[in-house]
Amino acid sequence: MRNRQLRLPVFHIIKQSSGKEHEMAEKELSKGKQLEKELCWEYPNIAKKAPEQREKAHEFAKGYMEFLGACKTERECVNYAEKLLLEAGYERFDSKKKYKAGDKVFSTNRGKAMAITVFGKKSIAEGVRINGAHIDSPRIDLRPNPLYESNDIALFKTHYYGGIKKYQWVTMPLALHGVIAKKDGTVVEVNIGEDPSDPVFFISDLLIHLAQDQMQLTAAKLIDGENMDIVFGTQPLDSESESAVKANVLKLLKDKYGIEEDDFWSAEIEAVPAGRAREAGLDRSLILGYGHDDRSCAYTSAVALFEVENPKTTTCGLFVDKEEIGSYGAT
C-alpha cells in the first residue's frame, strides 16, 4: 500500500509537468509559425490565389506548347524567335547605326544564341535591365563520323550532351534535328521524326528476361554511354556488299537530302525525344514536353520583351547555348 501511495503523487506530478511543457511548446511553435509567416515567402499557387486567371494561364500555355514542339534545338529557337521578332517590328542590330529610345533590335551569334534589346529613355550608363536564359537542353549528339554497320544493323555512334539519366533514353522514340554543311557550301536542315508520316529512331536495350545481370547495376551504370548507339536501319541494299544495310541508308539520305557519308564531318545532328508537347493530367493543368529547362524561362522572357514599349531603362534579353555543359564554346 505504501508503495502504491508513493507512486500516485509521482504519476500526477509527471502528468502535470508534461501538460505545462506541452502548452509551452505549443506557444513557442505558434510564435515560430508566426515568425515564419512574417519572414518567409510562400510560393503562390495561381489556382488558389487568383482562380480568375486560370483561363489566361491556359491560353498562355498554348503558345508555350507550340514553342516547345517547334524548338527542340538552339538553332530552331533562334530561327523561331527571328521570325516573330521581324513580324513584331524588330530589326537586326547594326553597330554603325544610331538608335533612339523605343527602337527595337536583335542580334544573333552563329545561329545559336541571341540578344534582344529595346532601347530606353535613360542612358545606358545609368543601367540596363537584363533577362537571361539558355536555350540548350540535355540531348544526344551524333559524332562527326557516326554511321557504321554491325550484325546487319546500321547504327549511329553518339555522345550525350549535358547531364542526362541515360536509362531514360533507351527504347524511346527519337527524332533527328540539325544541319549538315555540304561540300559545295550549302547547308541542309534535317528534321526527321516529328511529322506523323516520318520514321523515328531509338536506342535498343536488353529484353527483361535477358537483363538479370543488368538489373543488379546502379542507375549510373545501368546503361553504358559508349553503347548508346541509335538504330538507323536494318534493310540491305540489293548488293553483295558486306555493309549493304549501311549502303542502303546512305542511298536514302542521298535521295532525300543530297548528302554523302563524308558530309557528316561537317554536320551538327541532335537526337531528341520525338513528338509534340502535350497537356497532362485530367484537368490539363500540366505540360508534358521536352526542353522545359530552360526554355520555359526563354519563352516567358521573350514574350515579356515583345510587350515592352518605350521603357525608361534599356531592356535586354539574352538567350544562350552551351549552359548544359558549363557555358563553354564559341557562342
Side-chain angles (χ1 to χ4, degrees), residues 50-305:
E52 70 280 2
Q53 294 186 26
R54 286 186 187 182
E55 291 303 317
K56 289 183 179 180
H58 280 283
E59 194 62 31
F60 183 85
K62 290 179 182 178
Y64 175 54
M65 290 173 64
E66 181 183 336
F67 169 74
L68 275 185
C71 304
K72 293 191 175 181
T73 70
E74 307 91 323
R75 294 184 186 276
E76 290 171 347
C77 289
V78 170
N79 292 339
Y80 189 91
E82 273 194 26
K83 182 180 177 181
L84 294 180
L85 288 166
L86 292 170
E87 291 175 354
Y90 283 74
E91 59 180 270
R92 297 183 189 279
F93 175 73
D94 183 352
S95 60
K96 298 177 182 178
K97 184 177 178 180
K98 290 186 177 180
Y99 294 97
K100 63 182 183 301
D103 286 344
K104 301 179 177 183
V105 299
F106 70 92
S107 178
T108 62
N109 186 2
R110 296 173 175 83
K112 299 182 72 175
M114 171 178 278
I116 305 173
T117 302
V118 182
F119 289 99
K121 298 174 183 178
K122 295 181 179 180
S123 166
I124 291 179
E126 296 183 63
V128 179
R129 290 180 175 175
I130 299 176
N131 262 350
H134 64 92
I135 49 178
D136 61 324
S137 292
R139 61 174 189 260
I140 297 175
D141 288 337
L142 299 194
R143 295 193 183 186
N145 186 27
L147 186 59
Y148 74 101
E149 182 175 331
S150 177
N151 298 316
D152 296 327
I153 301 174
L155 298 154
F156 273 142
K157 292 294 292 182
T158 67
H159 179 76
Y160 56 90
Y161 171 97
I164 67 171
K165 294 181 178 180
K166 297 186 287 293
Y167 62 82
Q168 292 182 336
W169 288 76
V170 296
T171 67
M172 172 195 292
L174 299 174
L176 298 180
H177 293 236
V179 294
I180 298 176
K182 297 168 61 177
K183 293 186 290 291
D184 61 6
T186 59
V187 176
V188 178
E189 290 190 10
V190 175
N191 187 324
I192 312 174
E194 299 295 351
D195 190 280
S197 63
D198 283 348
V200 293
F201 309 93
F202 68 98
I203 298 169
S204 186
D205 191 17
L206 288 173
L207 295 172
I208 186 64
H209 58 272
L210 298 177
Q212 291 88 346
D213 293 338
Q214 181 193 43
M215 298 299 286
Q216 304 304 314
L217 301 174
T218 62
K221 298 180 179 179
L222 191 63
I223 302 296
D224 184 4
E226 285 296 317
N227 294 328
M228 293 180 69
D229 296 344
I230 296 173
V231 175
F232 199 55
T234 61
Q235 185 170 303
L237 189 67
D238 293 335
S239 169
E240 298 299 324
S241 169
E242 293 182 1
S243 300
V245 178
K246 176 182 174 181
N248 187 53
V249 295
L250 284 172
K251 179 182 181 302
L252 294 172
L253 288 171
K254 180 72 173 179
D255 293 343
K256 185 173 178 64
Y257 294 105
I259 60 174
E260 300 173 2
E261 184 173 13
D262 58 352
D263 288 322
F264 280 111
W265 287 105
S266 54
E268 183 182 78
I269 307 294
E270 305 174 10
V272 297
R276 312 291 282 187
R278 301 283 299 273
E279 292 177 322
L282 194 59
D283 57 1
R284 299 175 182 266
S285 60
L286 300 171
I287 296 174
L288 186 65
Y290 164 71
H292 283 300
D293 179 16
D294 187 39
R295 293 181 187 136
S296 60
C297 298
Y299 180 78
T300 48
S301 296
V303 170
L305 277 165

Side-chain angles (χ1 to χ4, degrees), residues 5 15 35 144 213 216:
Q5 289 174 353
K15 187 176 181 181
L35 190 61
D213 293 338
Q216 304 304 314

